[in-house]
Amino acid sequence: MKKGLLALSLLMTQIMNAQNSSQHTNPVIDVNDHPAAFQEGIASPIIKADRIFDFSTKVEITPQAIGDKIYYMTMDARDINKKKKFIAYKKPFVISRTTQVQAYAERKREKSPIATANFNKRPNYWEVTTLSKIDPQYTATGKFALIDGIRGDIDWKNGNWQGYLGQNFEAVIDFQSPQQITKISSTYLQDNKARILIPKKVEYYASMNAKDFILLDTIENDIDPKDEKVQTKDFTTEILPTEARYLKVKAYYFGKLPGSRQKTGGETYIFVDEISAK
């Protein structure tokens, strides 16, 4: 990838990280816009748009009861720590940045709980091919979930992780053009009680033609599979500058759950979320 495109990709990643941070900080809202006491009988509106988009996406907000009025507010990386106010929703609108949308419904001066939805602009235009068979229960947002810049957290039930049962995980990323790589990372989750274990090791390979791959590094796991703490681990490596168009990531399946549970259950999962290269 050309230096200019790589710089743009890194800039978008920074914006997405700023947005992810902002999602954990409530915007400054005038208390008159939405009182603390709301009417539980009024359903929150439904916010629809492409969760991951390339250039822009249209946001539509729909009340769950005919006649309810809707008020909304948007937050992007430029709005952190700004005072924001809800405004009346009249028609669908377009966003072109990673954005958080909040909305509530109002009926006879009573207001619903606030609904919140996050829509993310892709930080890059890479392609990814997964060579392993994904579990249909754990597909996250699709194949781009692996490279969309959104990191899953320990609450894996929120749907941000991809799950692979009883097998190694293997994927190839196409940067679309050669780029220089100096740092690679991929993230995995462990929840022993849910049969999700961090892989034994992770290998990274580089190629210019998607056929001949050179091993860049191998990282061993140092977390005990019997550890019942729900946790994530980044398998990160810094390498000498290497030019490549393709990056292969291979994570090795641990095997059946160790200990007494092995008698009652079968295979374990690899849960992977974000793969990045700089």
Side-chain angles (χ1 to χ4, degrees), residues 128-131 146 169-173 247-250 275:
V128 58
T129 301
T130 304
L131 305 178
L146 295 173
F169 164 76
E170 190 169 353
V172 175
I173 295 172
L247 172 69
K248 180 187 286 187
V249 180
K250 187 172 182 179
I275 301 172

Side-chain angles (χ1 to χ4, degrees), residues 95-115:
I95 57 174
S96 57
R97 296 180 174 87
T98 291
T99 302
Q100 181 182 93
V101 180
Q102 296 185 350
Y104 67 87
E106 182 179 83
R107 184 194 313 155
K108 296 181 180 179
R109 303 182 65 84
E110 298 291 347
K111 301 178 181 181
S112 74
I114 296 175

Side-chain angles (χ1 to χ4, degrees), residues 49-232:
D50 295 324
R51 185 177 178 187
I52 306 295
F53 60 92
D54 286 335
F55 301 103
S56 64
T57 186
K58 183 172 71 174
V59 180
E60 182 177 2
I61 309 176
T62 307
Q64 295 196 55
I66 297 176
D68 284 357
K69 295 180 179 180
I70 297 175
Y71 295 85
Y72 79 100
M73 178 177 66
T74 63
M75 286 280 292
D76 61 37
R78 303 166 304 173
D79 298 325
I80 299 175
N81 298 324
K82 285 186 178 180
K83 183 179 177 65
K84 300 284 291 186
K85 291 185 177 181
F86 286 93
I87 61 176
Y89 173 81
K90 297 180 180 179
K91 62 181 181 179
F93 56 93
V94 174
I95 57 174
S96 57
R97 296 180 174 87
T98 291
T99 302
Q100 181 182 93
V101 180
Q102 296 185 350
Y104 67 87
E106 182 179 83
R107 184 194 313 155
K108 296 181 180 179
R109 303 182 65 84
E110 298 291 347
K111 301 178 181 181
S112 74
I114 296 175
T116 301
N118 298 300
F119 306 105
N120 298 273
K121 186 172 184 178
R122 286 183 60 188
N124 53 62
Y125 296 100
W126 303 344
E127 292 291 332
V128 58
T129 301
T130 304
L131 305 178
S132 306
K133 184 178 179 180
I134 192 169
D135 187 307
Q137 298 181 85
Y138 307 112
T139 60
T141 56
K143 68 175 185 177
F144 290 120
L146 295 173
I147 54 173
D148 62 7
I150 305 171
R151 291 172 58 90
D153 56 27
I154 58 174
D155 183 10
W156 54 269
K157 295 178 182 178
N158 62 19
N160 287 328
W161 295 86
Q162 288 194 354
Y164 297 83
L165 178 64
Q167 61 185 305
N168 296 335
F169 164 76
E170 190 169 353
V172 175
I173 295 172
D174 180 358
F175 299 126
Q176 301 299 305
S177 61
Q179 75 170 31
Q180 193 174 78
I181 303 171
T182 58
K183 186 176 182 179
I184 308 168
S185 183
S186 56
T187 305
Y188 305 86
L189 179 135
Q190 179 155 309
D191 184 349
N192 180 289
K193 294 180 180 179
R195 295 189 295 132
I196 304 168
L197 297 181
I198 288 175
K200 290 181 177 179
K201 63 180 180 180
V202 175
E203 295 175 343
Y204 297 116
Y205 298 82
S207 174
M208 291 294 289
N209 59 13
K211 295 179 181 179
D212 304 308
F213 284 89
I214 299 173
L215 178 64
L216 299 175
D217 200 3
T218 301
I219 306 174
E220 302 286 342
N221 178 33
D222 57 3
I223 295 179
D224 188 342
K226 296 181 181 179
D227 188 345
E228 295 187 352
K229 176 184 177 182
V230 181
Q231 57 196 298
T232 63

